[in-house]
């Protein structure tokens, strides 16, 4: 995806954002496709028509750029998933299915971020910057994502849609954590989605040459999502 209004709007930016915002947005896009190892600040600068020194001026180092872009990319993922939930039919199960489908699709689309977001030991230099400067922000977005999933699962169990809008960093933790059965279901669903998305994103090296396994992907995905809906209902 080339720099331009389509990219800027995907990150909630104006049609002509500042250079710093352009650098961040395109870093999210490029790392999503290439991964952090193959990401080149020099190539990014050339694509944006700026000098590498401009990137250094705004972010001091490659690690700081990647760390801040990771925060933006994750926040955008959380927002995108919820937008699709809100666009779904006003039905508890359909909203949960929208969360499941979009969570997988977006993680696959930004698969290059996997080494940083899912395997922090694979990118320790970036992880250190994230932990030092952005841990609170990442935690807030992660908890918001989980709070929404808890609500969706609770809605499926009671058969009604909750009109709830949580405020980032200000969650009703006691209310959200009051049902051990819902929390167990949420944990199972969250781990399952992540596992499937990681497998699909990386095309699991040991098994991707096994044609029989790869041919079952579509059917397995549908049945796996059906299973997670059953978990949400409390049937499994």
């Amino acid at each position: 995806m080339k720099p331009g209004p389509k990219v800027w709007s995907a990150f909630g930016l104006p049609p002509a954002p500042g250079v710093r915002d352009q650098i961040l947005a395109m870093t999210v896009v490029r790392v999503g496709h290439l991964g952090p190892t193959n990401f080149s600040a020099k190539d990014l600068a050339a694509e944006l028509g700026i000098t590498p020194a401009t990137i250094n001026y705004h972010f001091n180092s490659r690690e700081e750029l990647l760390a801040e872009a990771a925060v933006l990319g994750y926040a955008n993922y959380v927002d995108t998933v919820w937008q699709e939930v809100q666009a779904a039919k006003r039905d508890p199960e359909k909203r949960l299915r929208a969360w499941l489908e979009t969570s997988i699709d977006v993680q696959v689309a930004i698969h290059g971020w996997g080494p940083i977001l899912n395997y922090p030991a694979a990118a320790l230099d970036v992880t250190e910057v994230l932990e030092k400067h952005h841990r609170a922000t990442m935690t807030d977005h992660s908890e918001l994502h989980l709070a929404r999933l808890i609500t969706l699962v609770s809605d499926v169990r009671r058969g009604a849609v909750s009109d709830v809008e949580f405020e980032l960093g200000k969650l009703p933790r006691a209310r959200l954590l009051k049902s051990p059965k819902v929390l167990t279901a949420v944990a199972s669903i969250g781990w399952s989605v992540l596992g499937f998305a990681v497998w699909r994103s990386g095309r699991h090296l040991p098994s991707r040459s096994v044609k029989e396994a790869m041919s079952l992907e579509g059917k397995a995905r549908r049945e796996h999502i059906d299973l997670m809906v059953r978990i949400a209902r409390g049937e499994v």
Side-chain angles (χ1 to χ4, degrees), residues 119 198-199 202-214:
Y119 303 102
V198 168
W199 177 83
R203 288 292 194 178
H204 187 241
L205 185 60
S207 64
R208 66 181 177 184
S209 61
V210 181
K211 294 180 181 179
E212 292 83 358
M214 302 309 296

Side-chain angles (χ1 to χ4, degrees), residues 102-175:
T102 310
S103 291
I104 292 172
D105 289 341
V106 176
Q107 288 185 69
V108 171
I110 61 170
H111 61 273
W113 281 103
I116 292 176
L117 296 177
N118 301 323
Y119 303 102
L124 284 175
D125 50 352
V126 180
T127 301
E128 289 176 359
V129 179
L130 276 168
E131 290 291 345
K132 183 177 180 179
H133 298 293
H134 305 288
R135 167 47 56 197
T137 302
M138 289 288 280
T139 298
D140 284 346
H141 283 287
S142 179
E143 290 187 345
L144 176 62
H145 195 49
L146 285 173
R148 288 167 171 170
L149 179 56
I150 289 170
T151 301
L152 291 172
V153 171
S154 298
D155 285 357
V156 167
R157 295 200 171 195
R158 68 189 189 89
V161 173
S162 297
D163 292 311
V164 178
E165 277 298 333
F166 297 116
E167 186 176 349
L168 188 68
K170 297 181 179 180
L171 301 176
R173 300 177 68 88
R175 176 163 63 83

Side-chain angles (χ1 to χ4, degrees), residues 12 18 29 33 43 50 56 65 76 112-113 116 126 137 151 185 199 214 216 227:
V29 172
H33 289 295
D43 290 346
I50 59 178
N56 290 333
L65 169 59
N76 193 59
W113 281 103
I116 292 176
V126 180
T137 302
T151 301
W199 177 83
M214 302 309 296
L216 293 172
L227 175 60

Side-chain angles (χ1 to χ4, degrees), residues 150 154 157 174-185:
I150 289 170
S154 298
R157 295 200 171 195
R175 176 163 63 83
L176 289 167
L177 301 176
K178 69 180 180 180
S179 172
K181 290 184 178 180
V182 168
L183 295 179
T184 300

